[in-house]
Amino acid sequence: MAPARPRVLVVDDDVTFGRSLGRHLERLGYASVFVETADEVRELVGRERFDIVLSDLHLRELDGVTLVRCLVDVTPTTRMILMTGDPSLESALEAIDVGVSGYLTKPLEPARLRSVLSKALQDQKAAKAARENLQLIARERLAAHQRTSRASDLEEAFASLFLVFQPIFGPDGTRYAHEALLRSTHSVLKRPDLFIDAAIEHGRLQELGRRIRAEAAVVLHAHPGERLFVNIHPNDLDDDELYDTRSPLASVADRCTLEITERAALRPGEALDTQLKQLRRMGFRLAIDDLGAGYGSLGSLAMVGPEVVKIDMSLVRDVHKDPRRQRLIRAITTLSREEGTQVVCEGIETEEERVAVTHLGANLLQGYLLGRPGAFPRQSKVA
Ligand code: C2E
Ligand code: MG
Ligand code: MG
């Protein structure tokens, strides 16, 4: 494709002169548009891009210098050339003062016209490149600022990290355990999903997993006889520290159930089998979280053979009104009983839901109806 011809807007109230100049420019390889008035110029430059504006110094309702001043803001990289049949030192100085690229006297001398046009074009290219460069620098600065502010947000979240605990009850109302849930005081990263995403983005997920497990271990050490469910990210399975028998959580592993969400894809294979075997050898129990959330397949059940499954709250919601949800939960509790797996129903918000899931065979219940996440209770009784 041939490169686009440089575009020149010719402005002159002498129509014959303007048209003839336009034709001459076309012969020199420029694309030219001719207008007679400053109003037409303003309208055109708002709609179209011109590399050069070649204007008479004395237009009917406006002088060329004022026109140049107006155009600088609208089209900052367009170069201006002024022409006059009545040259004076004063007008030449004024033209230089507003930063025009060239000053021509009429009648135009062809060689001088060519050289002024070519210089203006070079100026225009340089101005365009400089502007693009400035825009690039501004964009990079903004991106760098956003990166560092996100990094400092994450730092703040790490510095204020804490866990809250939501109780899990047996069907008779006795408390069985608590689930540990990640929090921070950061205005945005207080949400665990956002905190975790930010940690992944900044390569700090492993550090986050270790901090959560260490905090959970403190609680288990401080409360003998209590049980905790601790969420782990599937990538935590690749962290050696999880298998370190000297780690804070290892010595209380027999009171800890590790929840792995069904939302994330587990990679089946020997490595996974070895990891799960090692965790069980250390005393951990394994739970599949969010079963039925509609993300993964039931494959995670087969891969992990969990001690606990946690039915996602999307299946629990309004279960008493929905025979399909009832059949699904019944199928899961029946299968789990055969496998010796405990079933927790999550997100119970109403008495009707609690009654329904209990009838459908859930072993354990969790939800706002029974207890919201909060500080670990000082005095606690475990079933
Ligand atoms: P999850 O593990 O399924 O945790 C249950 C979520 O449901 C919690 O949200 C809890 O506050 C909320 N919830 C409990 N009962 C109800 C209820 O009755 N109604 C409703 N609408 N919600 C209820 P939270 O704490 O915002 O956690 C969201 C998710 O973030 C967790 O889902 C888990 O996947 C992840 N997460 C939380 N803490 C950790 C952590 O320490 N490590 C990892 N890897 N993930 C975590
Ligand atoms: Mg969970
Ligand atoms: Mg869940």
Side-chain angles (χ1 to χ4, degrees):
M1 209 169 68
R5 290 183 300 161
R7 302 192 77 223
V8 183
L9 179 61
V10 177
V11 193
D12 206 302
D13 41 22
D14 179 342
V15 178
T16 315
F17 174 84
R19 291 235 164 96
S20 137
L21 175 57
R23 282 193 297 274
H24 184 67
L25 291 174
E26 294 280 336
R27 282 196 296 275
L28 291 178
Y30 294 89
S32 77
V33 176
F34 167 64
V35 292
E36 290 171 59
T37 65
D39 279 348
E40 286 174 289
V41 178
R42 284 202 206 92
E43 208 227 295
L44 253 185
V45 297
R47 277 191 285 120
E48 296 180 26
R49 182 195 55 79
F50 291 94
D51 299 301
I52 298 169
V53 174
L54 186 49
S55 171
D56 191 64
L57 183 59
H58 300 293
L59 298 170
R60 245 187 307 268
E61 31 16 324
L62 194 75
D63 68 280
V65 169
T66 312
L67 179 69
V68 169
R69 286 208 174 97
C70 297
L71 292 186
V72 165
D73 286 340
V74 185
T75 173
T77 59
T78 300
R79 294 298 95 181
M80 316 285 170
I81 299 170
L82 291 178
M83 313 173 276
T84 179
D86 177 21
S88 69
L89 182 60
E90 196 189 348
S91 63
L93 286 175
E94 211 179 351
I96 291 167
D97 195 37
V98 292
V100 299
S101 279
Y103 184 78
L104 293 168
T105 50
K106 292 178 180 172
L108 301 178
E109 202 266 299
R112 171 136 175 87
L113 173 65
R114 275 201 304 275
S115 84
V116 168
L117 279 170
S118 124
K119 178 181 167 293
L121 204 57
Q122 276 174 15
D123 283 357
Q124 189 272 341
K125 282 185 182 145
K128 197 162 160 243
R131 196 173 164 79
E132 282 168 1
N133 214 6
L134 274 178
Q135 282 169 340
L136 188 71
I137 290 169
R139 270 200 300 275
E140 277 173 359
R141 283 210 181 132
L142 184 67
H145 173 72
Q146 281 171 341
R147 267 199 306 277
T148 50
S149 67
R150 281 204 300 266
S152 62
D153 286 346
L154 182 61
E155 198 52 55
E156 190 186 324
F158 263 103
S160 63
L161 178 157
F162 65 101
L163 298 180
V164 289
F165 302 88
Q166 185 176 28
I168 300 173
F169 295 91
D172 59 356
T174 46
R175 192 168 51 228
Y176 175 76
H178 285 87
E179 176 175 3
L181 295 161
L182 173 66
R183 295 288 184 272
S184 85
T185 60
H186 186 274
S187 56
V188 176
L189 303 184
K190 64 183 175 204
R191 271 182 51 182
D193 52 338
L194 300 182
F195 192 165
I196 291 165
D197 284 351
I200 291 171
E201 197 184 331
H202 289 269
R204 297 181 68 181
L205 182 69
Q206 191 174 78
E207 183 189 348
L208 180 58
R210 290 180 182 191
R211 280 285 303 278
I212 292 166
R213 296 197 294 278
E215 296 288 330
V218 169
V219 169
L220 281 174
H221 281 286
H223 299 275
E226 288 286 350
R227 301 183 190 98
L228 269 192
F229 284 54
V230 176
N231 293 282
I232 60 168
H233 189 277
N235 290 8
D236 288 333
L237 289 172
D238 297 329
D239 182 2
D240 291 343
E241 199 259 6
L242 184 62
Y243 309 94
D244 186 344
T245 49
R246 292 156 306 173
S247 74
L249 203 54
S251 58
V252 281
D254 58 332
R255 292 189 282 130
C256 183
T257 301
L258 298 175
E259 296 189 11
I260 306 168
T261 179
E262 197 219 19
R263 290 169 198 261
L266 289 172
R267 292 182 302 276
E270 250 179 64
L272 180 67
D273 293 345
T274 311
Q275 289 166 336
L276 300 178
K277 215 179 271 170
Q278 176 61 16
L279 291 174
R280 287 192 166 106
R281 203 176 296 136
M282 292 169 76
F284 290 111
R285 296 186 334 142
L286 301 174
I288 290 295
D289 199 0
D290 308 322
L291 188 72
Y295 289 83
S297 66
L298 292 181
S300 54
L301 275 185
M303 273 184 264
V304 177
E307 281 76 31
V308 182
V309 297
K310 299 188 76 177
I311 297 180
D312 191 68
M313 66 180 85
S314 57
L315 280 185
V316 170
R317 191 64 60 245
D318 287 333
V319 57
H320 52 288
K321 297 184 200 159
D322 184 348
R324 268 189 73 221
R325 282 186 164 79
Q326 291 163 20
R327 283 197 296 276
L328 271 168
I329 293 183
R330 171 74 76 198
I332 295 169
T333 57
T334 305
L335 178 74
S336 298
R337 200 173 313 116
E338 284 165 15
E339 298 285 321
T341 305
Q342 280 181 310
V343 177
V344 183
C345 278
E346 289 190 307
I348 298 169
E349 290 186 356
T350 64
E351 183 58 21
E352 291 92 331
E353 288 168 353
R354 187 191 69 75
V355 170
V357 297
T358 306
H359 279 136
L360 291 168
N363 308 102
L364 295 167
L365 314 174
Q366 182 179 358
Y368 292 167
L369 177 75
L370 310 159
R372 287 190 175 251
F376 200 88
R378 280 162 193 268
Q379 289 293 321
S380 45
K381 249 185 18 232
V382 179

